């Protein structure tokens, strides 16, 4: 089993509900965003302009540079593919922040450690979905087992020709996108 997420960028309206839900779920400060939403564009020439919103959580890479770059073993992959940080082992050196090609790790000044999206593994362990998936008002997010070819997420990835960000890096992200 490998947990994954699919985000349909044709549906995302940039409401930031996912960002706020994540902040509430994990008691983050206003400036700490484990689930950023970027605006891409506008692109093209008037009147044919295009723009879309791009939510960027941790990619939970199968070949995670942040895990390889962590000198203390604080960053590691769970058996279900979720990349997490062990707060007791993290010394706040920020090597993982430098190694992450997606820029999704954050240094907590208050705690002196690096933090990131956990794909809400605490909720998953209780049979619930990640808070950002549950909260999305337009249902732009899908969640499930990437290793199960019959799961909704695996079928949608195939059907909608979804791809991860920066596939060329070879990190094998667990977050896929349906691009406009």
């Amino acid at each position: 089993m490998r947990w994954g997420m699919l985000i349909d960028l044709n549906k995302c309206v940039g409401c930031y509900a996912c960002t706020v839900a994540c902040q509430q779920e994990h008691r983050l400060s206003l400036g700490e965003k484990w689930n950023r939403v970027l605006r891409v564009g506008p692109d093209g020439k008037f009147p044919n302009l295009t723009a879309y919103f791009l939510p960027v959580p941790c990619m939970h890479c199968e070949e995670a540079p942040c895990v390889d770059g962590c000198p203390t073993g604080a960053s590691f992959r769970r058996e279900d593919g979720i990349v997490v940080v062990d707060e007791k082992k993290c010394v706040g050196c920020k090597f993982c922040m430098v190694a992450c090609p997606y820029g999704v790790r954050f240094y907590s000044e208050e705690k002196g450690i690096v933090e990131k999206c956990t794909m809400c593994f605490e909720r998953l362990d209780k049979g619930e979905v990640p808070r950002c998936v549950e909260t999305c008002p337009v249902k732009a997010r899908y969640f499930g087992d990437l290793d199960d070819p019959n799961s909704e997420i695996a079928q949608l990835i195939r059907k909608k020709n979804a791809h991860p960000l920066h596939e060329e890096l070879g990190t094998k992200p667990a977050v896929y996108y349906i691009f406009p």
Side-chain angles (χ1 to χ4, degrees):
M1 162 175 308
R2 181 173 181 229
W3 289 120
M5 189 177 296
L6 172 65
I7 303 173
D8 188 340
L9 301 180
N10 296 298
K11 290 182 178 181
C12 180
V13 296
C15 69
Y16 299 95
C18 54
T19 302
V20 173
C22 178
Q23 287 174 312
Q24 290 176 339
E25 180 75 19
H26 300 285
R27 296 177 179 88
L28 305 178
S29 68
L30 287 175
E32 194 171 7
K33 294 177 175 72
W34 292 359
N35 193 5
R36 295 174 299 141
V37 178
L38 308 175
R39 182 169 184 214
V40 179
D43 194 22
K45 291 187 177 185
F46 183 81
N48 299 315
L49 297 172
T50 59
Y52 60 92
F53 295 97
L54 178 69
V56 186
C58 175
M59 300 295 145
H60 298 279
C61 303
E62 191 171 329
E63 300 293 332
C66 59
V67 170
D68 295 339
C70 180
T72 65
S75 290
F76 66 97
R77 282 184 74 237
R78 291 174 19 137
E79 284 186 29
D80 57 11
I82 297 174
V83 176
V84 294
V85 178
D86 183 338
E87 293 183 3
K88 293 176 183 156
K89 290 183 178 179
C90 182
V91 295
C93 68
K94 303 181 188 173
F95 285 159
C96 61
M97 292 177 70
V98 174
C100 176
Y102 302 99
V104 295
R105 289 178 167 244
F106 300 90
Y107 181 74
S108 169
E109 294 284 344
E110 182 182 318
K111 297 180 184 176
I113 60 170
V114 175
E115 297 180 310
K116 58 174 269 323
C117 160
T118 63
M119 207 177 269
C120 291
F121 71 82
E122 305 91 348
R123 292 173 61 91
L124 294 174
D125 292 347
K126 294 189 286 186
E128 301 171 356
V129 297
R131 185 75 186 275
C132 60
V133 174
E134 177 183 82
T135 302
C136 182
V138 295
K139 306 298 181 211
R141 291 176 181 245
Y142 302 86
F143 183 79
D145 183 1
L146 294 172
D147 288 341
D148 178 358
N150 296 317
S151 68
E152 178 185 30
I153 189 172
Q155 290 179 20
L156 283 169
I157 288 169
R158 286 190 307 272
K159 181 180 176 186
K160 300 288 188 173
N161 195 26
H163 295 279
L165 290 181
H166 300 297
E167 205 166 0
E168 72 278 5
L169 297 176
T171 59
K172 301 179 186 171
V175 177
Y176 286 75
Y177 294 89
I178 299 171
F179 289 94

